[in-house]
């Protein structure tokens, strides 16, 4: 725990949003993400006090937990959000989603489904960024870039369906006039998620394009670009 609280570099993610979400959902999501981002920047200064403050805020807003105490969930979530693997890359890719439905189970399912779509969308945006960079550096041709874009769009749909069970360290809910509102912070192994996207894109490319374009979306390049795309300067 002491080692965790002395980590200097705290990566802030979660700036991508889906085009098919409503503007109200996007605004709510971005507000949540900005709040989380600021909390993580301050985390190493006085973590326990910040965790208690966030838990009190949640209670005041009407949020409840069906499982662990709020403080425990917040602490676990923040710890995992800045966890790195043996190569120094973020251990998990994660998003915070919120959904409302007439029942708790329906809201929970919707929040999980939106999370999978958003993770897939962020990864596809990463591929798109790397494609643009490679084209600008004359590493690939315009035709290859077009093939890559087409393959990426198909891959986005495939990956959202292939993501397995998501880790949900933060799972809270509240009741209101419209039913149950569920807020989740969900996580998936970063390298596994990137590998799914790489394979999905590759499977939609011709054999010749696979050999030439494949290196553009290598593991290291993908994760580095993902962090750039999803980190607020």
């Amino acid at each position: 725990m002491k080692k965790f609280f002395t980590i200097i570099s705290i990566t802030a993610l979660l700036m991508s949003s889906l085009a098919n979400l409503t503007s109200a959902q996007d605004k709510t999501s971005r507000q949540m993400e900005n709040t989380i981002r600021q909390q993580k920047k301050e985390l190493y200064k006085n973590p326990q006090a910040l965790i208690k403050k966030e838990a009190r805020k949640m209670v005041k807003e009407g949020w409840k937990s069906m499982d662990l105490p709020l403080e425990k969930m917040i602490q676990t979530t923040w710890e995992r959000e800045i966890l790195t693997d043996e190569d120094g890359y973020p251990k998990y890719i994660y998003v915070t989603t919120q959904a409302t439905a007439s029942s708790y189970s329906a809201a929970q399912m919707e929040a999980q489904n939106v999370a999978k779509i958003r993770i897939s969308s962020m990864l596809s945006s990463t591929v798109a960024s790397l494609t643009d960079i490679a084209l600008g550096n004359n590493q690939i041709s315009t035709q290859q870039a077009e093939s890559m874009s087409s393959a990426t769009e198909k891959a986005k749909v495939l990956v959202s369906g292939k993501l397995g069970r998501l880790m949900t360290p933060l799972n809270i809910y509240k009741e209101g006039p419209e039913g149950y509102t569920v807020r989740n912070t969900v996580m998936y192994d970063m390298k596994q998620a990137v590998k799914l996207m790489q394979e999905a894109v590759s499977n939609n490319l011709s054999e010749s394009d696979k050999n030439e374009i494949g290196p553009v979306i290598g593991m290291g390049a993908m994760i580095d670009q993902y962090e750039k795309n999803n980190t607020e300067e």
Side-chain angles (χ1 to χ4, degrees):
M1 292 300 295
K2 181 178 179 180
K3 182 178 179 180
F4 155 67
F5 290 126
T6 57
I7 294 176
I8 298 176
S9 176
I10 299 176
T11 304
L13 306 176
L14 311 173
M15 286 303 294
S16 296
S17 60
L18 290 176
N20 62 335
L21 290 177
T22 66
S23 58
Q25 288 175 314
D26 284 339
K27 183 177 180 180
T28 300
S29 179
R30 288 181 182 277
Q31 288 174 339
M32 289 189 295
E33 291 162 2
N34 286 333
T35 298
I36 293 171
R37 182 176 298 107
Q38 292 304 317
Q39 290 165 347
K40 288 187 291 180
K41 287 180 179 179
E42 297 295 323
L43 185 56
Y44 72 96
K45 295 180 179 178
N46 197 348
Q48 292 301 327
L50 190 58
I51 289 170
K52 291 179 181 296
K53 179 180 179 181
E54 178 63 12
R56 289 194 298 269
K57 178 182 176 183
M58 287 181 175
V59 171
K60 186 176 181 179
E61 292 175 349
W63 293 105
K64 305 174 185 177
S65 168
M66 285 190 175
D67 192 10
L68 299 173
L70 291 176
E71 288 185 20
K72 179 62 176 178
M73 286 195 294
I74 294 167
Q75 179 174 329
T76 300
T77 301
W78 289 353
E79 286 176 352
R80 291 176 180 173
E81 284 177 352
I82 63 172
L83 190 65
T84 56
D85 64 15
E86 64 279 3
D87 297 317
Y89 291 124
K91 176 65 177 175
Y92 300 109
I93 182 172
Y94 61 91
V95 295
T96 297
T97 59
Q98 187 167 302
T100 300
S102 58
S103 68
Y104 172 82
S105 59
Q108 177 76 341
M109 183 179 297
E110 177 63 17
Q112 293 281 308
N113 288 337
V114 170
K116 291 181 179 181
I117 295 171
R118 291 193 62 209
I119 289 174
S120 180
S121 178
M122 288 191 292
L123 289 172
S124 65
S125 294
T126 300
V127 175
S129 294
L130 290 173
T131 301
D132 289 342
I133 293 172
L135 179 61
N137 292 335
N138 296 318
Q139 293 175 271
I140 60 175
S141 67
T142 300
Q143 184 177 356
Q144 288 174 324
E146 292 175 352
S147 296
M148 193 70 153
S149 295
S150 176
T152 302
E153 283 302 308
K154 296 176 182 177
K156 180 167 63 174
V157 177
L158 293 172
V159 170
S160 65
K162 287 186 176 182
L163 288 171
R165 184 177 179 182
L166 300 173
M167 185 187 303
T168 311
L170 182 67
N171 179 19
I172 55 179
Y173 76 98
K174 60 182 175 181
E175 299 176 61
E178 298 180 357
Y180 288 82
T181 297
V182 168
R183 180 186 293 180
N184 287 169
T185 293
V186 298
M187 301 181 171
Y188 198 83
D189 184 270
M190 174 67 84
K191 287 184 176 178
Q192 288 184 15
V194 170
K195 186 176 180 180
L196 284 175
M197 179 57 70
Q198 290 172 321
E199 292 176 347
V201 170
S202 179
N203 289 338
N204 283 286
L205 292 172
S206 66
E207 289 301 319
S208 60
D209 283 342
K210 286 181 184 180
N211 296 328
E212 294 187 46
I213 300 177
V216 172
I217 56 171
M219 180 65 72
M222 281 285 291
I223 298 178
D224 287 342
Q225 189 61 45
Y226 173 86
E227 290 188 276
K228 291 178 182 178
N229 285 1
N230 297 281
T231 300
E232 183 180 60
E233 296 298 336

